[in-house]
Amino acid sequence: MPESENRFKGLGVSSGIGMGVAHVRESGAVTVPIYSIPASKVDAELGRLKKAATLSRHQINQIRTKSKEGAAAEELGYLLDAYIHMLKDSRLVRGAERRIAEDHLNAEGAVQAEVAEIGDAFAALDDPYIAARFDDIRAVTNRLLLNLTKGAQRPIALVPKGSVIVAEELSPADTALLDPHRVAGIATQLGGPQSHSAIMARALGLPAVLGTPGLLDCVNPGDHIIVDGDKGTVVINPTAATLASYKTRHEKDLRETRLLARLRKQPAVTRDGTEIDLQANVELPIELDMVKQAGASGIGLLRSEFMFMNRESLPDEDEQYEALISLVKPMGGRSVTVRTLDIGADKTTAALMGDFGASTTSPLGLRGIRLSLTCPDILETQFRAILRAGAEGTVRILLPMVSSVSEVRRARDILDQAARNLKRRGVPFADPLPPVGVMIEVPSAALAADSLAQYSDFFALGSNDLTMYTLAIDRSDDQVAHLFDHLHPAVLRLIQFSAEAALRARIPVSICGEMAGDPRYTALLLGLGFRELSMTASSIPRVKKRIRDVDLIAADHRARVIMDQVDSGRIATLLDDFNALA
Ligand code: PEP
Ligand code: MG
C-alpha cells in the first residue's frame, strides 16, 4: 500500500464511490457498437463474424510464421495455436453465433456478451492461474473485434470487472457502450455535469468525476483509483487509511439506498394529498430493470438516439420497431414517450456525419427536429416504427429542439404520411394516432409556448438545453460549468411562462431535464405548477421522499416569492431555506 497518494479535484457528476483499477483509454480511440438486428439480417451478420474470425486466424498464422526462431518460439507456438483454435470452433465463436441467431445481436455485441459471460465464469473459480488464462481469451477477442469493426475501434466495453475508466473525454456514444457490471467508475479530464455522458453515467449508476485537470499526466494503467462522484475527487493509489474511509462511506451509501428503496410502494403524494406523476427517463434499454424497480409510472422520455449511435448505417423500420417493442411491451400499458431522433451537438452518428459534417456537432446546427425535417425519410421511418409499437402498448411522440410552430406542423404531416403508408401495407399501428408533444428547450419555444400549445398535445420541458441556450453556456464544457445555473431568473421565467401556457391550453406539461431528478428543485417545480416529473430512474426514490414532505400551499407561496427575485444567489438562498424546513 503506498504511503502517499495523488488527489485531483474535478466535477462530481454522478454520485457514489467507485473503487477499482484504472483502465486508461487512449485519446481518439473508439469503442464497440452494440445493437439489435432484424431477423432478415441474421445470415449476413453470421457471415461477417465468420469473415472476421478467418482474417484473425490468418493474422495469427502470419505472426506464428515470423516467430519460428528464438528462445521462446516453441512456447509462443503453443500459445498461438491455442489462439487459432479459439477462433475456429470454440465456446466463444459458437456462443457468439448463437447470440446472433437467437438474440438477434450484431456480431460485435454477440462476441462481447459471450466473452463477458466466459469472464464471469472464470472469475467465479477464483484461481489466479485461470484468471490469467482469461487474458488470452481477451487478447483473441480484441483481435476479432478489431477485425469486425475494420480496425477503427478499440473495445472499451471489454474491460476487466472492477475497472475505472480514465480518459481525456468520453462521448455519449462511448458511454453507451460501458457495461455497468464491469465498470466501477469514470474519471475524465474534460466534460460538464449536464453533458449527455454525465446523464448516462447517472442513468447507469456509475460514479463519475468529469472535468479533472491534469488527471492523465499522473495515472497509469493498473493504478488503484477511487472516484468520489459526490465530492468530485479522484484519488490515485490511495493509502490504506483513505481506502478504509472510502469503504466505510460506500457501505453507508448502500444502506441509504436500501432505505430509500422501501419507498417504492409508497405513493408520490404531497403532505396535503396531491398526487405527483413520477416517470423515468431512459437512454439505453439496459435501464428498463431500474425503471421497474423504481416504480416509475411510465417512461416520460425515451431518448431514441441509442438506436443510431455506434454504427455506420441507419437502422431501418423493422430494427427500430424491434428495439422499441422491447421497451414498450414490458411496460405493460404504462405510457412510453418516445422522443424522435435528437442527434446533434455532443451526440453524433457516423451514418449522418458524412452528409452534414460539422453542422451535426454544433449545438446551434442541424440538431433534433431540424435534422429530421432536413431528412424527412429518416423521420418517416422512425414514425412508422413508433406507430407500429403503439399498436402493442401506449406510446406518445415527442419532438426535440422545436423552435417554431411550422416545425410541428411539418412533423405532423410526415406522421400522417407514415400512417397512410402503414395502412396501405396492412400493418397494424396505433389507432387513434398517439399524442404528439413538443420539447420546450430553446428560448424561442418557451417564448412562443402559448402558440405552440395550440399545435401540441403535451409539453415536456427540457431544462438542460433551456438553461444552456438561455444562458449561452455549453452544457458539455467544464470551463463554464460553474456558470450553468437553473436558478437564473431568466431560466425560471421561461419555465414558468411555458408551464402556464400549457395549463391555460389544458394540455399536460412535464419536466424531464435534470432539474426534475434533483430534490433541491422539487418544491419549486411543484410551486410552479408541475405535476409530472420525469427523471433518471435511480433519482425517483429521493424525489418521492421530498414530495412526501412538501406542503403545496407553502411551496406555491415560496415559488411566487422566488419569481419576484432578480438575483439567482438570493433565489438559491430562498429555495435552500425552504428545503431546510422539511
Ligand atoms: C433537456 O434538454 O433538458 C432534455 C431533457 O433533453 P436532452 O438532455 O436529451 O438534451
Ligand atoms: Mg434537450
Side-chain angles (χ1 to χ4, degrees):
M1 218 25 91
E3 282 173 10
S4 69
E5 59 193 18
N6 265 325
R7 275 178 180 257
F8 290 86
K9 206 76 198 124
L11 303 166
V13 305
S14 177
S15 66
I17 312 287
M19 289 177 275
V21 172
H23 175 92
V24 183
R25 181 165 180 268
E26 292 157 34
S27 297
V30 200
T31 38
V32 171
I34 305 176
Y35 49 92
S36 52
I37 54 165
S40 57
K41 297 236 167 97
V42 164
D43 285 345
E45 209 59 15
L46 286 170
R48 234 162 52 74
L49 177 62
K50 196 166 173 201
K51 209 164 136 200
T54 309
L55 177 60
S56 306
R57 287 202 305 272
H58 176 70
Q59 290 164 341
I60 296 172
N61 247 326
Q62 278 181 328
I63 300 172
R64 203 180 188 297
T65 314
K66 276 192 208 143
S67 55
K68 279 239 155 79
E69 276 147 37
E74 195 178 340
E75 280 293 301
L76 191 60
Y78 288 134
L79 185 65
L80 295 179
D81 280 346
Y83 282 13
I84 289 170
H85 178 72
M86 267 188 251
L87 288 159
K88 231 183 205 163
D89 181 31
S90 61
R91 167 166 169 193
L92 175 66
V93 174
R94 282 195 309 272
E97 282 170 348
R98 187 186 49 73
R99 285 173 196 270
I100 295 173
E102 291 172 18
D103 303 346
H104 293 186
L105 263 182
N106 67 316
E108 292 89 340
V111 169
Q112 204 154 278
E114 191 59 30
V115 80
E117 199 176 291
I118 296 174
D120 288 345
F122 274 40
L125 294 175
D126 201 18
D127 177 323
Y129 176 78
I130 304 242
R133 298 287 69 75
F134 184 60
D135 289 344
D136 295 334
I137 299 181
R138 196 179 291 128
V140 169
T141 310
N142 281 356
R143 177 173 295 280
L144 186 58
L145 287 171
L146 281 169
N147 284 323
L148 267 171
T149 51
K150 301 194 201 78
Q153 318 227 1
R154 287 181 68 82
I156 195 173
L158 270 186
V159 296
K161 221 171 185 160
S163 295
V164 171
I165 306 293
V166 182
E168 184 177 30
E169 193 171 17
L170 280 187
S171 71
D174 297 332
T175 315
L177 299 175
L178 297 181
D179 176 351
H181 302 299
R182 313 193 81 75
V183 174
I186 299 171
T188 67
Q189 214 157 268
L190 304 175
Q194 308 294 331
S195 65
H196 285 100
S197 298
I199 290 174
M200 281 182 178
R202 292 194 276 274
L204 295 173
L206 293 175
V209 176
L210 310 187
T212 322
L215 178 67
L216 282 175
D217 297 334
C218 292
V219 65
N220 292 305
D223 279 349
H224 284 276
I225 179 165
I226 298 175
V227 173
D228 177 349
D230 298 303
K231 300 233 163 75
T233 309
V234 180
V235 190
I236 297 169
N237 292 326
T239 61
T242 302
L243 204 56
S245 83
Y246 270 108
K247 277 190 178 149
T248 311
R249 256 189 61 200
H250 184 54
E251 277 152 23
K252 188 168 159 259
D253 286 354
L254 290 178
R255 276 198 300 277
E256 252 177 55
T257 310
R258 276 197 292 271
L259 276 179
L260 278 171
R262 293 198 192 149
L263 281 175
R264 186 185 179 281
K265 292 231 157 65
Q266 302 289 327
V269 279
T270 58
R271 281 218 318 249
D272 41 327
T274 302
E275 191 152 350
I276 308 300
D277 188 13
L278 297 185
Q279 303 207 21
N281 291 353
V282 168
E283 17 291 316
L284 298 167
I286 195 177
E287 292 166 48
L288 195 60
D289 279 348
M290 291 180 254
V291 173
K292 288 193 204 147
Q293 266 165 33
S297 67
I299 296 179
L301 170 64
L302 174 60
R303 292 179 164 104
S304 64
E305 296 76 62
F306 74 91
M307 295 185 271
F308 294 75
M309 290 192 292
N310 290 310
R311 52 184 299 150
E312 303 285 318
S313 61
L314 293 168
D316 62 18
E317 179 190 317
D318 284 347
E319 196 177 324
Q320 291 189 52
Y321 162 72
E322 280 174 36
L324 289 176
I325 209 69
S326 72
L327 291 161
V328 169
K329 264 205 178 147
M331 288 304 288
R334 279 174 289 167
S335 154
V336 177
T337 301
V338 186
R339 187 174 70 184
T340 60
L341 185 62
D342 187 23
I343 280 290
D346 59 343
K347 284 184 284 188
T348 53
T349 174
L352 290 169
M353 281 292 281
D355 293 336
F356 303 107
S359 189
T360 60
T361 56
S362 160
L364 302 178
L366 269 181
R367 184 184 165 187
I369 195 71
R370 302 171 185 178
L371 183 68
S372 295
L373 292 174
T374 307
C375 314
D377 288 352
I378 297 178
L379 185 60
E380 199 195 317
T381 305
Q382 190 166 27
F383 277 152
R384 287 199 302 266
I386 300 172
L387 289 179
R388 282 172 61 187
E392 298 178 55
T394 310
V395 300
R396 302 196 303 175
I397 294 173
L398 180 58
L399 307 174
M401 281 291 290
V402 165
S403 54
S404 68
V405 162
S406 70
E407 288 166 335
V408 186
R409 280 207 193 117
R410 283 164 64 204
R412 281 189 182 274
D413 287 346
I414 296 171
L415 179 65
D416 291 341
Q417 212 167 293
R420 281 198 297 275
N421 176 297
L422 292 172
K423 196 166 185 182
R424 213 171 32 245
R425 285 162 45 201
V427 178
F429 64 94
D431 184 17
L433 293 183
V436 178
V438 162
M439 289 285 297
I440 303 290
E441 54 183 347
V442 294
S444 58
L447 289 166
D450 41 0
S451 330
L452 276 169
Q454 309 305 312
Y455 295 85
S456 315
D457 298 319
F458 64 96
F459 279 172
L461 227 122
S463 51
N464 310 334
D465 280 319
L466 190 58
T467 307
M468 159 160 108
Y469 291 117
T470 304
L471 303 182
I473 289 164
D474 187 341
R475 58 195 267 196
S476 308
D477 184 349
D478 45 283
Q479 305 285 333
V480 284
H482 62 291
L483 299 172
F484 193 95
D485 184 7
H486 292 310
L487 296 181
H488 191 294
V491 176
L492 291 182
R493 283 175 196 171
L494 290 177
I495 292 178
Q496 183 187 38
F497 184 73
S498 316
E500 286 179 352
L503 297 173
R504 272 197 306 275
R506 295 182 192 283
I507 58 169
V509 57
S510 66
I511 177 158
C512 58
E514 294 299 284
M515 269 183 104
D518 186 341
R520 183 187 186 203
Y521 302 112
T522 308
L524 175 59
L525 295 174
L526 300 186
L528 289 174
F530 289 94
R531 298 291 178 267
E532 278 177 47
L533 310 175
S534 188
M535 64 201 75
T536 299
S538 60
S539 299
I540 288 182
R542 230 168 240 117
V543 171
K544 191 189 274 187
K545 184 166 182 287
R546 179 72 190 107
I547 287 170
R548 291 170 64 82
D549 281 336
V550 168
D551 177 280
L552 260 190
I553 296 175
D556 218 60
H557 182 255
R558 185 54 58 114
R560 258 181 283 146
V561 174
I562 283 177
M563 293 312 295
D564 281 341
Q565 307 302 315
V566 291
D567 171 58
S568 59
R570 174 82 186 126
I571 292 176
T573 307
L574 282 167
L575 183 59
D576 295 338
D577 286 353
F578 184 76
N579 288 336
L581 295 175

PDB file of all heavy atoms in Angstrom, residues 367 441 465 475, ligand 2:
ATOM      1  N   ARG A 367     -29.561  20.040 -35.353  1.00  0.00           N
ATOM      2  CA  ARG A 367     -29.812  19.139 -34.227  1.00  0.00           C
ATOM      3  C   ARG A 367     -31.312  18.853 -34.121  1.00  0.00           C
ATOM      4  O   ARG A 367     -32.142  19.696 -34.451  1.00  0.00           O
ATOM      5  CB  ARG A 367     -29.300  19.805 -32.942  1.00  0.00           C
ATOM      6  CG  ARG A 367     -29.428  18.934 -31.750  1.00  0.00           C
ATOM      7  CD  ARG A 367     -29.033  19.603 -30.459  1.00  0.00           C
ATOM      8  NE  ARG A 367     -29.552  18.759 -29.379  1.00  0.00           N
ATOM      9  CZ  ARG A 367     -29.530  19.078 -28.111  1.00  0.00           C
ATOM     10  NH1 ARG A 367     -29.005  20.216 -27.714  1.00  0.00           N
ATOM     11  NH2 ARG A 367     -30.036  18.261 -27.216  1.00  0.00           N
ATOM     12  N   GLU A 441     -37.303  23.533 -25.007  1.00  0.00           N
ATOM     13  CA  GLU A 441     -35.905  23.517 -24.564  1.00  0.00           C
ATOM     14  C   GLU A 441     -35.043  24.565 -25.256  1.00  0.00           C
ATOM     15  O   GLU A 441     -33.849  24.636 -25.006  1.00  0.00           O
ATOM     16  CB  GLU A 441     -35.309  22.120 -24.721  1.00  0.00           C
ATOM     17  CG  GLU A 441     -35.424  21.518 -26.101  1.00  0.00           C
ATOM     18  CD  GLU A 441     -34.871  20.099 -26.178  1.00  0.00           C
ATOM     19  OE1 GLU A 441     -34.187  19.646 -25.246  1.00  0.00           O
ATOM     20  OE2 GLU A 441     -35.121  19.443 -27.210  1.00  0.00           O
ATOM     21  N   ASP A 465     -31.275  21.856 -21.882  1.00  0.00           N
ATOM     22  CA  ASP A 465     -30.995  22.715 -23.037  1.00  0.00           C
ATOM     23  C   ASP A 465     -31.560  24.113 -22.849  1.00  0.00           C
ATOM     24  O   ASP A 465     -30.966  25.087 -23.311  1.00  0.00           O
ATOM     25  CB  ASP A 465     -31.550  22.080 -24.317  1.00  0.00           C
ATOM     26  CG  ASP A 465     -30.619  21.004 -24.828  1.00  0.00           C
ATOM     27  OD1 ASP A 465     -29.399  21.219 -24.790  1.00  0.00           O
ATOM     28  OD2 ASP A 465     -31.101  19.940 -25.240  1.00  0.00           O
ATOM     29  N   ARG A 475     -23.330  23.057 -22.226  1.00  0.00           N
ATOM     30  CA  ARG A 475     -23.516  22.139 -21.099  1.00  0.00           C
ATOM     31  C   ARG A 475     -22.424  21.076 -20.999  1.00  0.00           C
ATOM     32  O   ARG A 475     -22.280  20.422 -19.980  1.00  0.00           O
ATOM     33  CB  ARG A 475     -24.904  21.482 -21.176  1.00  0.00           C
ATOM     34  CG  ARG A 475     -25.141  20.725 -22.453  1.00  0.00           C
ATOM     35  CD  ARG A 475     -26.611  20.398 -22.660  1.00  0.00           C
ATOM     36  NE  ARG A 475     -26.964  19.102 -22.144  1.00  0.00           N
ATOM     37  CZ  ARG A 475     -28.077  18.466 -22.461  1.00  0.00           C
ATOM     38  NH1 ARG A 475     -28.963  19.012 -23.287  1.00  0.00           N
ATOM     39  NH2 ARG A 475     -28.338  17.281 -21.965  1.00  0.00           N
TER      40      ARG A 475
HETATM   41 MG    MG B   2     -32.503  18.594 -24.789  1.00  0.00          MG
END
